[in-house]
Amino acid sequence: MKADNEPTPRFGLRSFRAKFVLVVGGAVLFDLLLSGGLALWNVQKLSRDATSEVGEGLTTANQEYIRSYAESTASSVDLLLDRVHGDVKALAGVLQAQIDDPRRRQQVGATLSQEAPGSVKVVYDARGDWAQNLPGAPSVVSVWGYLLGADHNPLPGVQQEIDDSTVIDLVAPTLMASGSSKLQMYYIGPKERPIFRTVPYTDQAQTFDRLYPGHNKAEFWEFFFPGIYGSWQQWARDPASRPVPDDITQTAPYTDAITGKLIVSFFHPLWTRDRTGIAGTAGADITLDQLAEVVESVKIAETGFGFLTMSTGNVVAINPSGQAIIGLTSSSDADTQGVTGLERSLRASMQPAIASLPLGQNNDGVIQHIMLDNNGERVPYIVVLKRLKPTNLWSSGPIKSETMSVGIVVPEREIYASLFAAQQSISRATNRILLFQIAAIVVSLLIVFAAVLGISKRITAGLRALAGAAQRLQSKDYSVRVSIPTRDEVGAAGIAFNRMAEQISFHTENLEQLVDDRTRELGDANQEISALNEKLRDENVRLGAELAVARQIQMMVLPKPFELEAIPGLEIAAYMRPADEVGGDYYDVLQNGSRVKIGIGDVTGHGLESGVLMLMVQSVARALQEANEGDPHQFLVRLNSAIFKNIERTNTNKHLSLAFLDFEDGRVTLSGQHEDVLVVRADGDVERIDTLDLGLPVGLENDISQFIDTRDIVFGSGDVIVLHTDGVTEAEDEDRRLFGFDRLCKSVQKRHGRSAEEIKTGIVEDLMTHIGIQKIHDDITLVIIRHT
């Protein structure tokens, strides 16, 4: 046996390692030379043939197809716009002919005024300070307050404008029924007399009051379309100053005051007889949906899509999936006055390749290759832009030239599907090469096997000695040693085995001492863990006490039974059960004189943070009620402003849905966005009132005044109103079925005619029966109001 300090055999010709490398390495080298050479030759030949014969032809054909598709889509959009232009020019032609022949204009106006007095007689509205004809006429004509005299009748020149404009009743309905689909057609008077006559009849002035407060105190053209009238005046002085040699002016998409839809308007200015000034304008509106239908109907490959963009990069039409792929976000550019537009810019895209996409004339019809991020994967896309005909565009300020573009976006892997099929053919050829390689490997293995047999006897002798020694070591014979005379790796293994046996013998003899030392270490660690557990228990006790205090404070601010009983004319019963120690639901009943305000809300999430926000809302609502804030709209606006600032200060992401019922003198007014309100009439009929359009979640925005609306509810004797949070309707049973609004309605109807307290108790019983042994995941709040 060799000494323990004998060096390990070096890598030489006599070592086991050297013998193995010589035999196996030679066989592997032979395999690589034979099979590798065949594989490389076949792969290179197939790749060259496929690339030259298939790739170039398919790439060119597919790109031409995409380019042609973009051109045909652009032509469709141009055709739609041209048809609208034609209708507007037809209306403008009739009106311009009237202007150029004052005598005929007066005769036509007088005749139509006699035949259809409803088209020229306007009635003053004191609340809005405007005058408007009554329903029943083909068109609606609105006359703003500053165009009325002291007797609230139109000024003489304005009345003449009303009479002369009635010719639109003869022309516009025919144009509306023919040609391209239009939302409405209209005539607007000159800057001195801007009456607004529109076909078909709508509540025009009333809608303007609601959407554009203050418009009746401002000059019409500068309020709604600042800069457009000045541009037309410049055209009258110098026709060559038109950005595009056409009288039609197109607007950027904006929100229509009548329908609330996104629309595009087309104006054609009317000239004075001497062509030196503006005599009014003829116009028509189409919805953005009509343009979007052309672009969103694009279907190329499997997921390809189209979009319509302005030269500024603002995308006016795209389908939702396409918008997500190119990373667009939408926002409204609403200002203090004027029409409200849509901002959805390529330049603000979350995809860098889209944000930097060139839109100039040099890129018209050019195939562009970009990379887009799709759920963390970089995907190649093809983009082609095709420019439309230029047009005169008003967006804000002077009219300028605008050339919109149609864009087509398609993944390369879809458009080049046939090329990928060719690559699969190459893959099959490669598989054939692998079969040749496997055959070569089998031959090589046979050679290796024959070589191993030749040296196996010499190797196995040492291995047998090691196996026998290992068995004796297993039998606790720690004195065993092996003697292997060879100077290869097997001999080195024998030396390592002997050293291992010596170490096992040493550790076995000293095992008892090692166990004692380890036991002491474990005992010390156990004492440290016990101390930490004690600290953790103390901390849990402290946190539990704090949560209990917070819950107690939250429950203290809820209305007391004697407060509810003291309200005349109403029976009010309420129930609140938080999911955690501290809940995020809110309800309150506030009385100030004859005015009673009942609020209900639901903070996102639950727990301590949601409970604190609920207390903030309760405090602000109480303060506003005590400050005699009786306007439901202003009440919500001021409450939201205070809560928004507190949320910003606390740096939290919480907000809440919140609605209020104002009860005074038998009248109920509903405001704010929350769950649907359930009204059960005295005769048992059930009404469901949607609050989605009555507000916006509190705390999301600093100013929500434009989103808040109110609704009056008839609340007679015996009627019952049920307010609730989503913890009621979304409570689950053991099969994960929701309690739902229908079950809530049935539960209330079942107790029709009973007191508010009996109705509340019955609903809670039905709800808890539905939940059973399931855990309550959300706060539950229920308020029952019964008119006695």
Side-chain angles (χ1 to χ4, degrees), residues 98-294:
Q98 292 285 96
I99 295 170
D100 292 340
D101 189 346
R103 182 178 178 183
R104 185 177 68 179
R105 181 184 188 186
Q106 186 175 8
Q107 291 175 346
V108 172
T111 301
L112 291 176
S113 298
Q114 295 175 359
E115 295 296 329
S119 294
V120 296
K121 180 176 177 56
V122 295
V123 178
Y124 178 71
D125 185 287
R127 182 179 181 182
D129 190 28
W130 41 257
Q132 186 169 275
N133 62 328
L134 297 175
S139 64
V140 57
V141 58
S142 301
V143 184
W144 316 120
Y146 63 89
L147 301 178
L148 303 175
D151 58 355
H152 303 308
N153 289 319
L155 297 171
V158 176
Q159 184 61 53
Q160 187 62 47
E161 194 77 32
I162 295 172
D163 294 344
D164 294 344
S165 66
T166 52
V167 70
I168 197 175
D169 289 358
L170 299 178
V171 181
T174 302
L175 293 175
M176 288 286 293
S178 62
S180 179
S181 176
K182 294 166 286 296
L183 187 65
Q184 56 205 13
M185 300 190 77
Y186 43 83
Y187 163 79
I188 305 176
K191 193 171 187 178
E192 302 78 19
R193 303 177 300 280
I195 67 165
F196 200 164
R197 185 179 289 276
T198 303
V199 174
Y201 189 100
T202 61
D203 292 335
Q204 182 168 262
Q206 296 90 328
T207 308
F208 274 42
D209 286 350
R210 187 175 68 254
L211 294 184
Y212 303 113
H215 76 93
N216 201 25
K217 303 300 181 183
E219 197 281 320
F220 177 89
W221 284 107
E222 287 305 311
F223 183 91
F224 287 103
F225 305 100
I228 195 170
Y229 204 92
S231 295
W232 289 342
Q233 290 175 322
Q234 176 64 27
W235 292 6
R237 292 189 295 269
D238 180 15
S241 64
R242 296 176 299 179
V244 175
D246 187 6
D247 285 341
I248 292 290
T249 299
Q250 175 181 327
T251 69
Y254 67 95
T255 302
D256 176 46
I258 307 301
T259 63
K261 296 181 179 180
L262 281 173
I263 66 170
V264 177
S265 291
F266 300 84
F267 295 124
H268 190 297
L270 304 174
W271 314 108
T272 57
R273 291 182 65 193
D274 57 4
R275 299 301 190 265
T276 60
I278 309 300
T281 184
D285 297 339
I286 66 171
T287 64
L288 191 59
D289 295 341
Q290 293 173 251
L291 286 174
E293 285 176 1
V294 177

